[in-house]
Amino acid sequence: MNSTTSGSGHAQRCRIVVDTCADLTPEIAASLDVDILGFPYILDGVEHTDDIWTSITPQEFYDQIRAGVKASTSAISIGRYLEYFTQCAEEGTPTVYLCFTSALSSSYDSAVTAAEQVRAQYPDFELYVVDNALPCACGELLALEAVRQRAAGLNAQQLAAWADEAKTYVHGYFTLDSLDSLAAGGRIPPAAAQLSSKLDIKPELSFDLSGSLSLIGVNRGRKKALKSLIKSFKENYVPDPALPITVVSADAEKDADWVEAALRREEGCANATIIRGSVGPTIGAHVGPGMVAVIFWGRNRADKISLTDRIAKRVRG
């Protein structure tokens, strides 16, 4: 696959599109009947397209960052979206794009702009762009279930509405080995990263309803940080044997092994489907090596918002 993997065309009820920020595993990407748009990333000044670990391995990518090679990303361009959506319109299959969170990338705005132009040219074409508001492999869980819902009979319009509501039931909690990559990308002050390193402080992060990253706790030392991920899982998980759990890492397999083993000991999880994956280059450029995350379906995160946020949400409609 280069930047797009084609679905099965007219035979499917609707086309589902995701991007590489959903961090699908290579095996799932190859078997899932979805189209995948590759985000650009820059490594040592050279631009590449995220191809889900086809042209580089996770260890090779993260070893370069460990060695001091600068990694950065850019959004998918309006031109690329125009080209792709036009192809979809010419084929005519109703299309739903589950786009990477608008809180962390301008790609959603570009996709919406391109979609409006394509719909103006092809007024009978059904095209829905959904802000998934989910970073990293949280998007993978949404895509997997979207495919199941399509098979159960949802059409494109229904699937877009389903995804817009279902996304608030996906949880993700992750810790970083270092804050250096976040500081290099301008997401936190460099002084904060230096202080964290000196004190061996490991953050636990999640994301809010908009898809923005949020700091939910700090821990002294790596083992406490990993245990904190399990605690967050226990507090928010809703057991359902039909829904998988995901453990991903940025070239930190031993720690991911520990997290998986700890999850297996939790009630109802001994035989749960646990997907193991690697954080892709697009997300990895920002978090750096050592990230570990646990991602799952759970309680509706929208139920936790404050009274004033509920009012603001209602005002916005």
Side-chain angles (χ1 to χ4, degrees):
M1 144 180 32
N2 193 351
S3 57
T4 307
T5 297
S6 183
S8 60
H10 290 288
Q12 62 194 35
R13 189 175 179 85
C14 71
R15 179 190 299 272
I16 296 174
V17 188
V18 297
D19 50 56
T20 49
C21 287
D23 280 339
L24 273 67
T25 68
E27 296 78 17
I28 288 174
S31 64
L32 209 58
D33 188 11
V34 300
D35 284 11
I36 304 168
L37 296 173
F39 259 69
Y41 69 94
I42 298 94
L43 194 60
D44 202 18
V46 179
E47 183 171 304
H48 308 266
T49 297
D50 188 343
D51 57 11
I52 314 183
W53 303 122
T54 300
S55 57
I56 190 171
T57 69
Q59 185 175 357
E60 288 168 346
F61 177 80
Y62 289 111
D63 276 350
Q64 289 193 54
I65 296 179
R66 291 184 182 103
V69 171
K70 183 172 170 49
S72 61
T73 63
S74 60
I76 298 175
S77 68
I78 291 179
R80 177 70 186 103
Y81 281 127
L82 273 172
E83 175 190 27
Y84 174 72
F85 290 154
T86 299
Q87 291 173 355
C88 294
E90 288 174 349
E91 184 194 277
T93 304
T95 297
V96 180
Y97 174 32
L98 306 177
C99 181
F100 180 56
T101 172
S102 63
L104 298 178
S105 173
S106 62
S107 57
Y108 172 74
D109 290 336
S110 297
V112 168
T113 300
E116 288 171 351
Q117 293 181 32
V118 170
R119 280 193 293 258
Q121 190 174 355
Y122 299 88
D124 295 329
F125 176 53
E126 276 192 89
L127 173 59
Y128 304 92
V129 178
V130 179
D131 180 353
N132 75 7
L134 298 171
C136 194
C138 300
E140 179 181 53
L141 284 195
L142 188 70
L144 281 166
E145 186 60 17
V147 168
R148 195 169 78 89
Q149 294 297 333
R150 176 180 63 187
L154 291 190
N155 62 30
Q157 183 180 24
Q158 292 166 336
L159 194 61
W162 171 87
D164 205 36
E165 185 167 340
K167 64 191 182 186
T168 61
Y169 291 83
V170 179
H171 291 249
Y173 300 91
F174 58 100
T175 188
L176 306 179
D177 195 40
S178 159
L179 296 176
D180 292 345
S181 291
L182 285 178
R187 297 187 182 270
I188 63 167
Q194 291 166 7
L195 182 64
S196 150
S197 179
K198 280 184 180 178
L199 299 177
D200 194 27
I201 290 175
K202 308 298 182 186
E204 183 183 0
L205 299 119
S206 188
F207 51 93
D208 61 20
L209 292 177
S210 73
S212 293
L213 297 183
S214 55
L215 177 67
I216 61 171
V218 292
N219 301 274
R220 293 293 292 271
R222 179 73 160 179
K223 187 52 67 85
K224 286 183 179 178
L226 296 176
K227 288 180 178 178
S228 187
L229 298 182
I230 303 302
K231 180 174 181 288
S232 295
F233 172 83
K234 289 171 68 173
E235 291 171 351
N236 295 285
Y237 179 59
V238 176
D240 185 337
L243 299 173
I245 301 164
T246 298
V247 176
V248 296
S249 82
D251 199 31
E253 289 301 303
K254 286 185 179 178
D255 287 340
D257 288 344
W258 185 93
V259 169
E260 179 180 352
L263 290 172
R264 293 279 183 208
R265 291 192 291 270
E266 293 301 318
E267 186 177 351
C269 296
N271 298 309
T273 299
I274 297 182
I275 299 169
R276 288 288 295 270
S278 293
V279 179
T282 313
I283 303 296
H286 296 286
V287 300
M291 174 179 143
V292 178
V294 57
I295 297 160
F296 54 94
W297 291 90
R299 294 184 174 88
N300 187 357
R301 291 180 289 114
D303 290 343
K304 292 185 175 182
I305 64 175
S306 70
L307 174 63
T308 53
D309 285 342
R310 286 177 190 274
I311 296 167
K313 189 177 180 185
R314 192 165 68 242
V315 168
R316 285 194 296 266

